[in-house]
Amino acid sequence: MIIPIKCEGAEQNKWEIIELQGTIATTDGSGLDGKTLGNIKVQANGKSCELTLGKRCMDGEVVKLPKPLTVFRKRKLQEIEEHGEAEIDQQAGVEYVAVGVITRKYLFKQRPKLVVAKAPKGSSPGKIV
């Protein structure tokens, strides 16, 4: 059985991995699809980074992967026939399309720190403005 593998601009789609120690969940229990996770700031040296998630902050490092990873999308035979691409092995019923390449990851090994903003000058604690 031959399973076709195609490349549709994977060289142009560079993806990156975020590796965390723990779990990320929303407060309302909904999924993470379409939501902004946070902000990653890469330092000028290109080796360290900082991830801000709401009121939490994590320091990490940028790691180049020893071997690049390829991201594939699996397409079933029915989806392919609908798009007019009939050159596929009928026994396999699927084809894999390379859609991206991962060459580096952001690695966060430590627990997040709480970000506390300082009060502006001239304000006193306990005073309601």
Side-chain angles (χ1 to χ4, degrees), residues 25-106:
T26 57
T27 54
D28 59 1
S30 63
L32 295 171
D33 290 345
K35 294 186 179 177
T36 302
L37 178 65
N39 296 318
I40 293 181
K41 179 181 175 185
V42 178
Q43 303 300 328
N45 63 10
K47 295 182 181 180
S48 60
C49 57
E50 179 181 271
L51 173 63
T52 306
L53 303 164
K55 296 180 182 179
R56 309 248 181 234
C57 179
M58 289 184 274
D59 293 323
E61 58 184 296
V62 181
V63 178
K64 183 178 178 185
L65 298 177
K67 293 182 180 180
L69 299 173
T70 305
V71 179
F72 288 100
R73 182 180 70 233
K74 180 179 178 180
R75 293 199 303 186
K76 294 183 181 179
L77 181 60
Q78 296 166 345
E79 296 173 13
I80 296 165
E81 288 175 349
E82 290 172 4
H83 290 91
E85 300 171 23
E87 294 182 28
I88 186 168
D89 186 355
Q90 296 294 330
Q91 292 178 345
V94 297
E95 81 171 355
Y96 292 92
V97 180
V99 294
V101 176
I102 302 171
T103 56
R104 67 180 185 169
K105 69 179 176 179
Y106 300 104

Side-chain angles (χ1 to χ4, degrees), residues 8-23:
E8 293 181 355
E11 309 88 23
Q12 299 161 358
N13 296 329
K14 300 217 179 217
W15 293 18
E16 295 170 343
I17 296 176
I18 300 173
E19 185 175 326
L20 303 168
Q21 308 301 320
T23 305

